[in-house]
Amino acid sequence: MRTLDDIAVVVLAGGEGRRIGGGKPLRRLGGETLLARALGQAATFSDRVALAVRDPAQVGAPEGVTVIPDASVEGPLGGLAAALGWARDQGRAAVLTLPCDMPFVPPELGPRLGDALDGHAVVLAASGGRLHPVCGLWRVTALDHLPAYAASGRRSLWGFAEAVGFTAVDWPVAPADPFFNVNTAEDLAEAEARLG
């Protein structure tokens, strides 16, 4: 599964961003918002891109961007549920999820995860011994298992990936972790320094 018409991409931007003072998707990095940067990355992986948010009015999505509201499930699992449903409606076999706060995802993310998908429901990115379940390629058939998982009271993306069967693809963290994410003002300053 490697072609643009096999997958859809959904940028997850439903979190409140409390640690950075709110409004994280609209924080600026290198002259553009984190959201605009993430949407630009997403467009390199597929011709079907959408944005999953809890409250579309709070994000101010760029013109022409498909916005899908998070499902009624709380947390990132709600964004994933919305992403899986939208990708299935688009006739895609899988959806790549990208968070809006990882500004340096590697350009080979989509192809490498796609190459590893055979025989698995999910492929997650990993680096430095850590899984990044918000950066994953999920078969849309995983949606069939989501109601039972959510009914159990669990909300973890990693737990859901484990429940449906996953593998991971690892990236090196030197010279810098490509899955660095921006949670605080200090992280944003560090990201700006990396760009400089």
Side-chain angles (χ1 to χ4, degrees), residues 77-153:
L77 195 62
L80 176 62
L84 288 167
W86 179 77
R88 185 178 60 189
D89 291 346
Q90 298 297 307
R92 301 302 167 104
V95 63
L96 174 64
T97 54
L98 295 176
C100 73
D101 62 357
M102 281 187 180
F104 306 113
V105 294
E108 72 279 9
L109 177 69
R112 281 196 64 197
L113 295 184
D115 287 346
L117 192 59
D118 289 341
H120 302 281
V122 184
V123 182
L124 301 179
S127 63
R130 291 181 50 229
L131 287 172
H132 305 289
V134 288
C135 276
L137 185 61
W138 307 75
R139 288 191 190 275
V140 295
T141 53
L143 189 59
D144 299 335
H145 304 279
L146 205 143
Y149 179 79
S152 74

Side-chain angles (χ1 to χ4, degrees), residues 3 8 46 49 55 60 67-68 76 78 85 87 112 120 122 136 157 167-168 184:
T3 63
S46 176
V49 174
D55 180 2
V67 178
I68 53 176
R112 281 196 64 197
H120 302 281
V122 184
L157 289 183
T167 190
T184 65

Side-chain angles (χ1 to χ4, degrees), residues 18-33:
R18 288 188 199 128
R19 287 184 280 173
I20 202 168
K24 186 195 294 188
L26 302 180
R27 299 293 173 138
R28 298 191 79 76
L29 173 64
E32 64 182 343
T33 65

Side-chain angles (χ1 to χ4, degrees), residues 12 14-15 54 70 73-82 97 133-134 155-157:
L12 304 176
R54 185 171 300 135
D70 282 1
V73 183
E74 291 180 11
L77 195 62
L80 176 62
T97 54
V134 288
R155 297 292 181 262
S156 160
L157 289 183

Side-chain angles (χ1 to χ4, degrees), residues 190-196:
E190 183 176 338
E192 196 72 56
R194 274 180 66 171
L195 281 182

